[in-house]
Amino acid sequence: MNKVKKIDLKLGIEMKALIVYGTRYGTAAEIAEEMSRVMKEEGAEVDLVDSKGLKNFDITPYDLLVVGSGIKMGKWTKNALNFLKNNKEILTSKKVALFVSCGAANEEKSRAEGQEKYLDDVANKYLLNEPVATGLFGSVYDPEAKHGLMYKFTRSFIKKELEKQGIDTTKRHDYRDWDAIKEWARDLVAKNGR
Ligand SMILES: Cc1cc2nc3c(=O)[nH]c(=O)nc-3n(C[C@H](O)[C@H](O)[C@H](O)COP(=O)(O)O)c2cc1C
């Protein structure tokens, strides 16, 4: 009996969402994929696209736009920012949620700065309305990953920081809080249906 009730409720949610992500090493892409899966599970219709090569994409059909990026040297990817820039006007008639994947989210002491620089400042600069939600999510430390010189250089810096904290840097560490990511996505559907 309970099961039937639950299905009815989920069918009742009317929401068409578009998730647009910018990524350099795949971390934000995986977060976006999980969000898409969870939001579909909650009854939303969801399209998921990489902001790379995304030009003149018609966002008219969507109620909710979830836009996010990985952070490099304090910056979103150019493509994800261009998506916000190019759709600035039309986004005023939509619900918009922003998220980032960044190293600043991994430690309590740097989260406030990450929230301000990578989410609040971006919302102020690129959106005319307040976002319905912002999500600050962590990164991955992978001693095996090969993403070029800049990545290697940054990783060796991070490695020293982790070693100071007594963390085993021979192992991969996923600092993304998947429960928080799932909850954030579930909440978006629950609070922003038509
Ligand atoms: C070269 C480089 C620069 C980075 N710069 C920052 C930074 O300025 N602030 C931050 O919080 N995290 C920084 N990070 C961590 C990334 O934001 C993190 O790895 C993120 O998950 C990357 O997302 P992506 O794989 O989707 O591009 C940097 C990582 C690298 C490799």
Side-chain angles (χ1 to χ4, degrees):
M1 188 61 187
N2 268 349
K3 210 170 192 179
V4 174
K5 253 191 193 163
K6 200 169 179 194
I7 290 166
D8 279 345
L9 266 180
K10 289 195 176 170
L11 286 178
I13 291 172
E14 272 195 60
M15 177 198 276
K16 202 166 156 61
L18 176 67
I19 306 177
V20 181
Y21 61 87
T23 188
R24 298 175 180 96
Y25 314 110
T27 326
E30 287 172 0
I31 293 175
E33 278 159 23
E34 182 62 4
M35 284 174 182
S36 167
R37 196 190 63 72
V38 170
M39 289 169 73
K40 280 180 186 165
E41 214 172 72
E42 294 302 305
E45 224 182 287
V46 186
D47 291 328
L48 172 68
V49 289
D50 188 339
S51 61
K52 203 170 174 180
L54 195 71
K55 262 198 177 161
N56 306 322
F57 193 92
D58 181 16
I59 64 165
T60 331
Y62 299 98
D63 309 298
L64 172 71
L65 283 295
V66 183
V67 189
S69 177
I71 300 296
K72 182 180 173 185
M73 298 291 160
K75 294 210 156 53
W76 279 48
T77 71
K78 216 179 198 151
N79 293 313
L81 283 183
N82 280 341
F83 175 82
L84 292 176
K85 242 188 249 175
N86 296 338
N87 292 290
K88 198 167 185 172
E89 283 302 325
I90 184 167
L91 284 177
T92 59
S93 62
K94 309 284 180 190
K95 290 174 176 175
V96 183
L98 301 179
F99 75 93
V100 288
S101 165
C102 63
N106 301 352
E107 278 192 84
E108 205 44 56
K109 63 174 187 213
S110 47
R111 285 183 66 87
E113 194 184 340
Q115 173 72 36
E116 190 186 334
K117 285 210 287 200
Y118 310 144
L119 290 164
D120 300 344
D121 287 357
V122 168
N124 285 336
K125 189 163 172 198
Y126 293 92
L127 299 178
L128 294 167
N129 298 343
E130 284 274 307
V132 292
T134 57
L136 185 80
F137 304 120
S139 65
V140 172
Y141 173 82
D142 187 351
E144 306 288 339
K146 291 183 174 58
H147 293 300
L149 262 186
M150 190 61 173
Y151 183 91
K152 216 171 153 185
F153 174 76
T154 308
R155 187 178 50 198
S156 68
F157 173 78
I158 293 165
K159 184 171 180 262
K160 284 192 193 112
E161 292 298 309
L162 294 178
E163 277 164 0
K164 272 190 218 160
Q165 297 167 40
I167 292 166
D168 179 359
T169 54
T170 62
K171 292 204 178 91
R172 182 180 185 272
H173 297 279
D174 190 339
Y175 290 97
R176 293 167 295 185
D177 182 340
W178 290 106
D179 287 340
I181 291 166
K182 284 178 200 160
E183 198 181 322
W184 192 79
R186 248 181 247 125
D187 227 45
L188 278 181
V189 179
K191 292 187 178 148
N192 296 290
R194 255 179 237 161

